[in-house]
Amino acid sequence: MRISSKLVGVGVLALVTGCSSVPQLSSLSKLNPFSSKEKGDQPAPLVELKGSMAVRTAWKLDIGKAGAFTFSPALAGNTVVVASNGGDIARVEAATGKLMWRIKAGTELSSGVGTDGNLIVVGGDKGKLLAFDMDGKKLWDAQLSSELLSSPVVSQGIVVARSLDNRIVGLDAKTGQAKWTTQRTSPPLTLRTAPGMVTTGTDVIVAQPAGKLSALILATGAPRWDLEVGVSRGATELERVTDIGGAPVLFETDVCAVSYQGRVGCFEVASGSQRWTRDLSASVGVAVDQLYVFAPDDKGALFAYNRDTGANAWKNDKLAFRRLSTPVSYGRAVAVGDYQGYVHFLSREDGSFLARAATDGSQIIGTPVVAGSHLIFQTQNGTVTAIAVE
């Protein structure tokens, strides 16, 4: 029996040839990057922490469930915009959680949120792209070729959206009219995740299937450079799956990323030249700060690499098989969520535990953001939680 793409959990492998079918779940479930099905792969129990860092929940908002998709909060000045699979979109004050407005998109949503502080864009049902102003008023919508899993991005008057068939479209931010389209070849199997995009100056850097990053010129969609983060290995298609986990991260002159069954590394933004890579398998993204690149692997270990050289700084494997989220660096800590909605704070210098905070008990997959002194996480059950670090 074939399974509708709407019913396949986030992270399950999906056939992308035309995006018309999904392989049988029974044959591929062991490769779901957000689950632990292998015998003996039991999540590590949590130990009591004495805690050397004070954290508290500053505010919470229930935006609605993510369903089989991934939603992450987006910063817009001193506010945060969030969305849910059910079609709710809300904008709140980052410091207080005060609701500025909440609307219904009029359709189910599959991705979001993208914003440049002037425009809000989300992916709707069946490949619909919707745009709203910062007061929640709908401005336009556009029909794309297939489902959107990745959050669109907005920059330089261009909205860039990537659909499941790996077609990337640049649209006029004012009208929604398509200005350019490019499509890259995809391998027979890819992870059903939400590989992201990030803008830098006049370019957009797009995570591609097969462990690749592509820099495209925002105005035209023309390629600037392409590079391989992960290199496909193995004798079968399943063994050669090496898609980018999460969104690439920009820091100063670097862009850093990680791939499933591949590598983690940093590259020069201007040229795409490799600075360093290390073998790693991850289905979520990295965090980057002045000194380190942080990446959780698929077995639940969190690694810290020297940002300049790639040398391993430390490894914490005490969260084994807890299905860790994309981490976030703040102050003296790096924070990462898990499958039970806990947020773990570790020392960025040595990886030791500093504190722990609870959310709503459901998995954290989306990328957290830093807003002032708050770290903001969104769970799969739809709780947006701002954690204050004191």
Side-chain angles (χ1 to χ4, degrees), residues 23-379:
Q24 294 190 12
L25 186 62
S26 60
S27 65
L28 297 174
S29 60
K30 66 180 181 179
L31 290 181
N32 183 341
F34 297 121
S35 65
S36 292
K37 302 292 187 180
E38 298 298 322
K39 184 178 180 179
D41 290 351
Q42 296 301 313
L46 298 182
V47 298
E48 184 177 353
L49 294 181
K50 294 181 180 179
S52 59
M53 172 181 282
V55 299
R56 62 178 177 83
T57 299
W59 55 262
K60 288 187 176 184
L61 171 72
D62 182 8
I63 189 61
K65 293 184 178 182
F69 304 96
T70 301
F71 290 87
S72 300
L75 289 179
N78 59 1
T79 68
V80 178
V81 185
V82 291
S84 71
N85 176 227
D88 286 84
I89 306 172
R91 186 181 180 195
V92 301
E93 293 181 355
T96 65
K98 179 182 178 181
L99 185 65
M100 300 177 67
W101 51 259
R102 182 170 184 151
I103 62 168
K104 285 284 189 180
T107 181
E108 290 187 350
L109 302 179
S110 61
S111 69
V113 176
T115 181
D116 63 349
N118 298 303
L119 186 73
I120 295 167
V121 286
V122 293
D125 191 37
K126 298 179 181 178
K128 187 78 75 174
L129 179 68
L130 301 95
F132 302 84
D133 68 16
M134 298 310 292
D135 294 320
K137 178 184 177 181
K138 186 177 178 181
L139 299 177
W140 51 262
D141 61 54
Q143 181 63 52
L144 303 188
S145 58
S146 63
E147 188 176 44
L148 283 76
L149 298 183
S150 305
S151 296
V153 294
V154 190
S155 182
Q156 306 289 322
I158 302 291
V159 176
V160 182
R162 176 187 180 273
S163 49
L164 189 59
D165 57 3
N166 205 32
R167 185 169 296 179
I168 304 158
V169 181
L171 305 98
D172 186 286
K174 292 182 179 180
T175 66
Q177 294 297 310
K179 296 175 71 70
W180 53 263
T181 302
T182 182
Q183 186 166 18
R184 303 298 181 90
T185 303
S186 295
L189 290 175
T190 66
L191 288 179
R192 185 180 166 81
T193 57
M197 300 177 284
V198 62
T199 59
T200 170
T202 59
D203 296 345
V204 57
I205 300 175
V206 183
Q208 300 274 8
K212 296 180 180 179
L213 289 182
S214 297
L216 307 178
I217 298 172
L218 272 168
T220 64
R224 180 83 69 185
W225 49 254
D226 293 279
L227 62 87
E228 287 186 324
V229 178
V231 178
S232 296
R233 304 184 182 99
T236 69
E237 294 291 350
L238 298 182
E239 292 172 336
R240 290 194 291 269
V241 172
T242 178
D243 295 339
I244 299 294
V249 176
L250 292 170
F251 195 94
E252 296 180 346
T253 60
D254 293 341
V255 57
C256 303
V258 66
S259 64
Y260 178 74
Q261 298 188 145
R263 304 182 301 185
V264 59
C266 289
F267 307 83
E268 293 181 1
V269 172
S271 64
S273 298
Q274 177 179 306
R275 294 197 59 192
W276 58 266
T277 60
R278 296 290 182 270
D279 287 344
L280 193 77
S281 176
S283 49
V284 295
V286 300
V288 185
D289 63 24
Q290 190 68 40
L291 296 179
Y292 301 109
V293 174
F294 304 98
D297 72 6
D298 287 329
K299 294 183 178 180
L302 183 63
F303 291 82
Y305 300 92
N306 183 285
R307 188 172 67 87
D308 290 329
T309 67
N312 188 275
W314 52 260
K315 170 186 176 182
N316 184 315
D317 59 4
K318 304 303 182 184
L319 298 171
F321 303 107
R322 295 193 66 84
R323 290 172 253 167
L324 302 183
S325 72
T326 296
V328 59
S329 176
Y330 180 80
R332 64 188 180 100
V334 55
V336 64
D338 72 11
Y339 79 109
Q340 290 183 317
Y342 286 105
V343 179
H344 307 273
F345 292 82
L346 290 73
S347 166
R348 66 190 287 270
E349 300 299 331
D350 62 17
S352 59
F353 288 109
L354 299 176
R356 182 187 302 133
T359 55
D360 66 0
S362 69
Q363 187 171 9
I364 298 170
I365 296 177
T367 302
V369 297
V370 177
S373 61
H374 294 165
L375 305 184
I376 301 177
F377 291 79
Q378 183 171 344
T379 70

